[in-house]
Amino acid sequence: MTLKPVRVGICGLGTVGSGTFNVLMRNADEIARRAGRPIVIEQVAARRDNPDCDTTGVKVTADIFEVAQNPDVDVLVELIGGYDVARELVLMAIANGKHVVTANKALLAHHGKELFGYARERGLTIGFEASCGGGIPIIRAITDGLIANQIDAIYGIVNGTSNFLLTEMIQKGETYQQALAAAQESGLAEADPSLDVNGTDSAHKIAIMTALAFGTDVDFDAIPVEGIDNLDEQDVAFGRDLGYVVKLLAVAHRIGDDVTAWVRPAFISTDHPLAWVGGPFNAISVYGHATGHTLYYGRGAGGSPTASAVVADVVGIGTGVLPAVFSSTRFWPDRNTTGPQVGLDGSVSRFYVRIMAQDRPGVLASISDILGRHEISIASLRQNEQARRNELVPVVVTTHSCREPAIRDAIARIDALDTTDGSTVCMPIVEEHPEEFSN
Ligand code: HSE
């Protein structure tokens, strides 16, 4: 006996919307066979036609709210982006008894608690595999495959645009602006890539993963976020000379009983497990107390990879697997009881520090004096003579592990010296997270 079809309404026919439309249309027979029931597109809402989608025979509307009110739609797939209208749309869909599948990380990072709670109250499910890591099934991994674990840490490269730009800067020695211009020309970066390059997109993703993995009540606005948009190519080059590559990391880990989450460019050693992740790819390391290190790698953006995750959620709703997991497990943001997360003050790390300083007697002594007074031990120090800019030379220091507030305070004091220009750059050097599992 074949079960009745799952009727889908797709809101938004951009990159992910059209990818989802085409995957559902082109793989319809195979998806129906695997799901045990057909998945049919009942309605599509889009502001304009997308020439990549043949919508012949499908109801098309320009009004997304029509889909949320359509009694023939079982699952509303929200792919419009943004978080105000999207929130309204999802609330309306749930009010009208529809399950929701979304790729919208901004929506969930800001309103997840409210939306999950409302869906649960109404006996409905929100699928959001596509919100983190595109085609990588990381949400399933955290909420299902790793369920036996206490998660100790997550280290992610979760923004493909930034990773692509950094890879170009590292491999071709380009400036950030040169890499961005080339990426925009080839269509790899959006015309307005602000949310990608300023770290916000990565922060949305780590907020979602942190809430699930640690059961923490995440305050998105309290996550320290820094992007790659101010990265200077000379730091990329100096880091390379020291054996490091720069990556935009999205990290969450325990500090004692607390959890910290942050996003910023960081140096990792060339033999770190994430160092080889290049171009537009994403990778997420999850450290479980039973598994130790597990690593998930794949395309984190693009129509077809992200559609793979969207369709998996629709099928999961059709088979009943997702509603069962959603209703019985206690991962979800509306069920979190601990937290909120803490900032960086409790963090300990090694640091890369570049100071633009005058080249005269006593300057290095005053810098090392300030570091010493803050209990910061210097691991290496190099004055890069050939990179002199006017009267100033870059002094590159790497430190041994020290507390985050100590390095911040030391830099403020170094920047206040008459012999520096006040523009000191500081980036963490992130070591591989220790595995804390017992055999
Ligand atoms: N724009 C994102 C990226 C994908 O470049 O990885 C969607 O979050």
Side-chain angles (χ1 to χ4, degrees):
M1 186 190 77
T2 310
L3 295 169
K4 66 183 176 53
V6 178
R7 299 164 303 174
V8 176
I10 300 177
C11 294
L13 219 47
T15 308
V16 180
S18 59
T20 301
F21 183 92
N22 288 328
V23 168
L24 281 172
M25 284 296 195
R26 292 174 191 161
N27 297 2
D29 291 345
E30 184 60 11
I31 292 170
R33 189 185 69 76
R34 291 180 169 188
R37 60 197 294 190
I39 311 285
V40 298
I41 300 175
E42 180 64 32
Q43 190 172 26
V44 167
R47 275 186 302 216
R48 60 190 79 85
D49 283 348
N50 185 325
D52 293 338
C53 300
D54 178 3
T55 52
T56 314
V58 177
K59 269 186 232 139
V60 180
T61 173
D63 178 9
I64 46 172
F65 293 100
E66 215 180 280
V67 180
Q69 290 167 316
N70 183 342
D72 296 328
V73 166
D74 304 309
V75 180
L76 182 141
V77 175
E78 183 280 303
L79 301 171
I80 61 171
Y83 47 84
D84 289 329
V85 179
R87 171 177 167 271
E88 245 182 277
L89 178 68
V90 169
L91 288 173
M92 185 187 283
I94 295 169
N96 287 320
K98 298 176 198 327
H99 300 287
V100 171
V101 171
T102 180
N104 191 336
K105 55 237 109 196
L107 175 71
L108 297 180
H110 288 275
H111 301 299
K113 202 172 170 99
E114 175 196 16
L115 298 177
F116 285 111
Y118 187 44
R120 193 180 311 289
E121 201 181 297
R122 308 272 302 168
L124 296 162
T125 298
I126 299 180
F128 55 102
E129 183 62 73
S131 65
C132 299
I136 305 170
I138 187 65
I139 303 297
R140 292 280 206 293
I142 294 172
T143 58
D144 184 9
L146 296 175
I147 200 161
N149 288 262
Q150 170 179 298
I151 307 290
D152 296 323
I154 299 176
Y155 286 73
I157 293 173
V158 288
N159 186 267
T161 305
S162 299
N163 202 47
F164 177 80
L165 297 178
L166 292 178
T167 307
E168 295 290 291
M169 289 174 76
I170 294 164
Q171 291 179 353
K172 299 185 181 159
E174 289 180 347
T175 64
Y176 169 76
Q177 290 302 343
Q178 286 168 333
L180 179 59
Q184 282 174 319
E185 207 169 305
S186 66
L188 268 158
E190 309 237 2
D192 178 6
S194 320
L195 295 181
D196 291 314
V197 298
N198 71 14
T200 306
D201 177 78
S202 297
H204 288 147
K205 293 166 181 167
I206 199 69
I208 294 170
M209 292 190 283
T210 302
L212 297 178
F214 299 94
T216 302
D217 197 3
V218 176
D219 174 2
F220 180 75
D221 295 323
I223 298 177
V225 181
E226 203 184 309
I228 62 164
D229 38 353
N230 291 316
L231 195 66
D232 190 319
E233 66 278 8
Q234 69 173 326
D235 295 310
V236 176
F238 293 155
R240 191 180 43 215
D241 293 346
L242 290 162
Y244 301 122
V245 287
V246 59
K247 292 286 172 195
L248 182 64
L249 293 187
V251 172
H253 63 86
R254 293 183 192 277
I255 303 179
D257 291 336
D258 295 324
V259 171
T260 185
W262 53 261
V263 174
R264 52 184 168 168
F267 280 121
I268 55 178
S269 154
T270 49
D271 58 10
H272 187 284
L274 295 177
W276 58 276
V277 178
F281 279 88
N282 283 195
I284 302 150
S285 281
V286 183
Y287 292 80
H289 88 292
T291 55
H293 181 205
T294 60
L295 177 60
Y296 309 84
Y297 170 82
R299 291 189 183 272
S304 159
T306 313
S308 161
V310 170
V311 173
D313 276 349
V314 174
V315 171
I317 288 171
T319 58
V321 169
L322 218 52
V325 172
F326 189 70
S327 62
S328 61
T329 57
R330 302 196 65 86
F331 285 105
W332 320 99
D334 61 306
R335 290 184 155 183
N336 286 342
T337 48
T338 58
Q341 82 281 9
V342 297
L344 287 167
D345 281 1
S347 287
V348 171
S349 178
R350 297 184 60 214
F351 289 94
Y352 163 99
V353 179
R354 174 179 49 86
I355 303 146
M356 297 305 289
Q358 290 176 7
D359 191 8
R360 59 184 172 81
V363 173
L364 285 187
S366 55
I367 291 171
S368 60
D369 178 55
I370 291 174
L371 292 172
R373 283 172 195 268
H374 286 80
E375 306 278 306
I376 297 168
S377 170
I378 294 172
S380 72
L381 187 149
R382 182 173 167 197
Q383 181 168 305
N384 289 272
E385 203 56 45
Q386 69 289 6
R388 179 183 294 273
R389 285 186 183 174
N390 302 321
E391 293 306 301
L392 300 169
V393 279
V395 174
V396 172
V397 175
T398 64
T399 73
H400 290 296
S401 286
C402 66
R403 289 174 47 250
E404 187 94 26
I407 192 82
R408 254 186 268 139
D409 194 43
I411 286 170
R413 280 165 204 272
I414 289 170
D415 277 345
L417 292 172
D418 291 344
T419 49
T420 68
D421 75 349
S423 68
T424 297
V425 168
C426 174
M427 283 160 60
I429 299 171
V430 172
E431 318 268 1
E432 185 178 355
H433 188 80
E435 288 186 303
E436 282 174 17
F437 73 109
S438 46
N439 275 316

